[in-house]
Amino acid sequence: MIDFLLAPWEHEFMRRAFLVAMMSGVVCGVIGSHVVLRGMAFIGDAVSHSVFPGVAIAFVFRFDLALGGAIAGLLTALSVAVFAQNKRLKEDTVIGVFFAAAFGLGIVILSSAPGYSGSLESFLFGQILGISDGDVRVVAIAGAVLLVAAAVLHKELVTVSLDRETARALGVRVFGFDIALYTMVTVAIVISLQAVGNILVLALLITPAACARLLTDRLGVMMVLAPVIGMLSAAVGLYLSYSLNLAAGGLIVLVATAVFLVCWVFAPRHGVLARFRPGDARGGTGVGAERRFRRASRP
């Protein structure tokens, strides 16, 4: 058992992989908690796919792929924030429009850039075993900045997520905090691309937070549980990848999904089995539990 735990750490590339994967799990767990609380998981999918044209443009013009993806993702997120201010359109509708447009643009650019398939594969599925020391530093710095920003803006982000109209009445700049959250989601996704790839990054952002949402009615506890689950899922997935010689990104996501399924069944108050416990006054799902969560979450 000890040999199994220590063996991967003998290799420098595995040490870098563990650091980046676990840091990504922590950052995505914190930012994902706000995404799940707000019910905007679709924005994570939209941003993760909207980096596609940026990566394609970066390849064509020979500059850093991650930088190109970050710029494209940020522009898409800001566009969604601007257009979603129109009350005639729901946020998920605007997200759908820009999600499709960004992916379509990426396909058009890709069709004009022969020889892109190799770079595209690492972008789609991650390249966590090829991470450099510079990549580790970038993820560490960007992740630390994100966590500090999330802590500083926590109260306002929660207020906007729970009740936008009340937030406006209290003088909270809703539009500004929309942009802040979309920007944080974009950065969290970009720094996690090397760990799990473009296709699977949404799972790292949403699944640990969804697990935490099932396990607790308190936002503070959720903010602790989600990054812990994300970090442990990343670590276990990498151990399995090393042992079984299978894709690291896919295994990280499958471990997180397995945790979600366990929480969905066995969560003390909101799991499937909790619904069949006779006389459990603490239980309850649906409107009552949601109201309790919102009351407990109010800053």
Side-chain angles (χ1 to χ4, degrees), residues 10-22:
E10 297 175 358
H11 307 283
E12 187 175 356
F13 71 92
M14 286 300 298
R15 291 196 292 270
R16 290 194 293 260
F18 272 105
L19 287 173
V20 168
M22 294 171 72

Side-chain angles (χ1 to χ4, degrees), residues 249-273:
L251 284 171
I252 290 172
V253 171
L254 288 178
V255 170
T257 304
V259 175
F260 172 79
L261 293 176
V262 171
C263 293
W264 185 72
V265 175
F266 297 105
R269 292 189 177 185
H270 306 297
V272 172
L273 296 183

Side-chain angles (χ1 to χ4, degrees), residues 55-117:
V55 171
I57 292 173
F59 177 81
V60 172
F61 292 99
R62 305 280 190 256
F63 64 91
D64 186 77
L65 300 185
L67 178 61
I71 293 172
L74 185 57
L75 288 175
T76 301
L78 294 177
S79 298
V80 170
V82 171
F83 282 81
Q85 300 305 305
N86 187 326
K87 295 182 180 180
R88 184 70 176 173
L89 296 174
K90 290 187 177 181
E91 191 174 51
D92 59 348
T93 302
V94 177
I95 291 170
V97 170
F98 283 94
F99 162 75
F103 207 68
L105 177 60
I107 292 173
V108 171
I109 296 172
L110 182 61
S111 66
S112 66
Y116 183 61
S117 57

Side-chain angles (χ1 to χ4, degrees), residues 84-282:
Q85 300 305 305
N86 187 326
K87 295 182 180 180
R88 184 70 176 173
L89 296 174
K90 290 187 177 181
E91 191 174 51
D92 59 348
T93 302
V94 177
I95 291 170
V97 170
F98 283 94
F99 162 75
F103 207 68
L105 177 60
I107 292 173
V108 171
I109 296 172
L110 182 61
S111 66
S112 66
Y116 183 61
S117 57
S119 299
L120 180 63
E121 183 178 350
S122 63
F123 165 72
L124 292 176
F125 304 111
Q127 50 179 352
I128 192 167
L129 299 183
I131 287 173
S132 66
D133 289 333
D135 294 328
V136 176
R137 286 192 292 271
V138 169
V139 172
I141 294 171
V145 171
L146 272 185
L147 293 178
V148 170
V152 171
L153 302 178
H154 174 79
K155 178 180 177 181
E156 290 80 6
L157 289 175
V158 171
T159 302
V160 171
S161 296
L162 295 179
D163 194 332
R164 296 173 66 83
E165 297 306 319
T166 299
R168 284 195 178 95
L170 293 173
V172 177
R173 292 173 294 178
V174 173
F175 177 61
F177 288 105
D178 283 346
I179 291 178
L181 180 56
Y182 290 165
T183 301
M184 289 192 291
V185 169
T186 301
V187 176
I189 286 172
V190 170
I191 67 175
S192 303
L193 286 178
Q194 289 177 306
V196 294
N198 178 262
I199 292 177
L200 301 176
V201 70
L202 180 67
L204 197 59
L205 184 73
I206 301 301
T207 306
C211 295
R213 183 77 167 90
L214 288 170
L215 292 173
T216 182
D217 289 330
R218 300 188 64 83
L219 182 59
V221 178
M222 179 180 172
M223 285 289 190
V224 173
L225 285 177
V228 168
I229 293 171
M231 180 178 64
L232 292 179
S233 297
V236 173
L238 274 177
Y239 272 113
L240 292 176
S241 173
Y242 181 83
S243 177
L244 303 175
N245 194 29
L246 295 174
L251 284 171
I252 290 172
V253 171
L254 288 178
V255 170
T257 304
V259 175
F260 172 79
L261 293 176
V262 171
C263 293
W264 185 72
V265 175
F266 297 105
R269 292 189 177 185
H270 306 297
V272 172
L273 296 183
R275 301 176 185 177
F276 301 100
R277 293 174 188 164
D280 188 358
R282 297 175 304 165

